[in-house]
Amino acid sequence: MSKEDAVTAGLYEVIEKEVDLVLATDPDAGRLGVYVKDTKSGEYIPLTGNISGSLL
C-alpha cells in the first residue's frame, strides 16, 4: 500500500466514524499531525506543533 493509499484509507475511516480527534505520524513516528473536528462546520482543523505540545 502506498503512502497516498494509506492516507486516503485513513481519511475514509475518519469521515465514516465521525471522530473528533485525528492523530497521524510519519513512518518512523518522528513527526505527529493532530487534527480536531470543528463542531460547527464539521471540518478538521490542524493543530500547530506548539498547540499539540502544550496539550501533551
Side-chain angles (χ1 to χ4, degrees), residues 15-38:
I15 292 167
E16 181 180 300
K17 298 189 186 306
E18 298 183 20
V19 299
D20 296 326
L21 174 70
V22 179
L23 302 174
T25 66
D26 64 336
D28 69 353
R31 289 172 279 191
L32 174 68
V34 181
Y35 298 83
V36 294
K37 187 173 185 178
D38 182 343

Side-chain angles (χ1 to χ4, degrees), residues 1-51:
M1 177 181 284
S2 72
K3 177 174 67 173
E4 290 80 16
D5 291 339
V7 169
T8 301
L11 289 175
Y12 280 122
E13 285 288 319
V14 165
I15 292 167
E16 181 180 300
K17 298 189 186 306
E18 298 183 20
V19 299
D20 296 326
L21 174 70
V22 179
L23 302 174
T25 66
D26 64 336
D28 69 353
R31 289 172 279 191
L32 174 68
V34 181
Y35 298 83
V36 294
K37 187 173 185 178
D38 182 343
T39 56
K40 292 182 182 178
S41 70
E43 293 182 31
Y44 288 90
I45 302 167
L47 301 184
T48 65
N50 288 339
I51 294 171

